[in-house]
């Protein structure tokens, strides 16, 4: 029998050591700075996430605190019936989307909803009050599904990502979410903070979070 070579013995030793070694630790999730309830983290809070895709997806989850808030999803129904309140009750009196997302004749949105809140009548209002188009339904959908819709020109009103940023940061109807009137819960943060997150998401590549992710 030929003697075993030192190289072979060394290889066996390394294999045994590798087998006995503890398993490598999984990468630890990034710890984001805490944020008070009802507020949004700024884009700078995600700077420690080096991978652009992971950073974009995490930023979008933060922005989805607004997108999933009743002030937004109540006007993005999947069945053409607007919701109201903080628990998504069906609109009272009963109304429906109509052919142009503004209700039917004699029951159009602007029959009641003016260009500003009417607090004495408890009726919310903002310029151009209407439901989001049917292809932009968000009610009951995940952040991942909403993200895919926002990026798709066929489902976002034919907007570019730059136009999505502009819409998020400056649209007057979107702004109503932070000044809803009559004791309604406002959306988290501010429109400026929300717009900054959407802008940072786009600049990082606009990746979407995994389906199971929640803010």
């Amino acid at each position: 029998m030929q003697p075993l070579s030192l190289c072979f013995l060394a290889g066996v030793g390394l294999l045994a050591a590798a087998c006995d070694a503890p398993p490598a630790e999984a990468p630890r999730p990034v710890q984001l700075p805490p944020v008070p309830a009802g507020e949004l983290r700024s884009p700078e809070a995600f700077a420690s996430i080096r991978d652009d895709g992971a950073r974009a997806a995490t930023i979008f989850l933060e922005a989805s605190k607004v997108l999933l808030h009743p002030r937004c999803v109540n006007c993005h129904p999947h069945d053409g019936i607007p919701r109201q309140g903080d628990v998504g009750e069906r609109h009272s009196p009963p109304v429906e989307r109509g052919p142009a997302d503004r209700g039917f004749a004699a029951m159009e949105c602007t029959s009641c909803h003016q260009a500003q809140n009417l607090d004495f009548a408890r009726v919310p209002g903002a310029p151009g009050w209407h439901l989001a188009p049917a292809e932009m339904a968000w009610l009951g959908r995940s952040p991942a599904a909403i993200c895919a819709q926002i990026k798709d020109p066929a489902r976002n009103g034919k907007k570019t990502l730059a136009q999505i940023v502009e819409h998020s940061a400056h649209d007057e109807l979107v702004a109503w979410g932070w000044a809803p009137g009559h004791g309604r819960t406002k959306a988290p943060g501010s429109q400026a903070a929300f717009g900054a997150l959407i802008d940072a998401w786009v600049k990082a590549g606009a990746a979407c979070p995994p389906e199971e992710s929640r803010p």
Side-chain angles (χ1 to χ4, degrees):
M1 178 183 293
Q2 296 293 325
L4 297 175
S5 71
L6 292 177
C7 291
F8 177 80
L9 291 173
V12 171
L14 290 173
L15 179 61
C19 291
D20 292 337
E25 292 185 6
R28 294 182 180 179
V30 173
Q31 294 297 318
L32 298 174
V35 63
E39 297 298 329
L40 295 171
R41 294 180 177 90
S42 68
E44 292 73 24
F46 305 89
S48 61
I49 304 176
R50 300 301 182 188
D51 179 77
D52 285 346
R55 187 170 66 260
T58 308
I59 289 172
F60 190 87
L61 279 181
E62 186 73 13
S64 70
K65 292 178 181 178
V66 172
L67 300 171
L68 295 173
H69 192 273
R71 297 294 78 77
C72 283
V73 296
N74 283 356
C75 292
H76 286 257
H78 54 77
D79 55 5
I81 300 174
R83 303 310 201 262
Q84 60 188 31
D86 286 350
V87 294
E89 298 174 346
R90 291 190 171 206
H91 193 286
S92 179
V95 294
E96 294 186 21
R97 179 187 304 283
D101 305 318
R102 286 167 168 77
F104 288 96
M107 286 293 287
E108 293 182 353
C109 300
T110 53
S111 297
C112 295
H113 299 279
Q114 306 302 307
Q116 65 282 319
N117 294 325
L118 299 178
D119 284 343
F120 67 89
R122 304 180 182 181
V123 178
W129 193 275
H130 66 279
L131 281 183
E135 60 271 18
M136 294 176 65
W138 293 351
L139 182 63
R141 296 188 177 174
S142 67
I146 294 172
C147 179
Q149 284 177 290
I150 288 175
K151 291 171 58 175
D152 183 0
R155 295 182 291 164
N156 73 5
K158 299 181 179 179
K159 289 182 172 64
T160 65
L161 288 178
Q163 289 171 322
I164 292 295
V165 172
E166 174 66 20
H167 175 76
S168 301
H170 300 294
D171 185 85
E172 291 181 297
L173 185 54
V174 173
W176 173 86
W178 290 274
H182 189 61
R184 299 177 184 90
T185 304
K186 75 178 189 70
S190 65
Q191 186 175 24
F194 174 62
L197 285 171
I198 296 299
D199 182 53
W201 167 66
V202 170
K203 287 178 177 175
C208 292
E211 176 60 37
E212 65 276 9
S213 299
R214 296 295 184 274

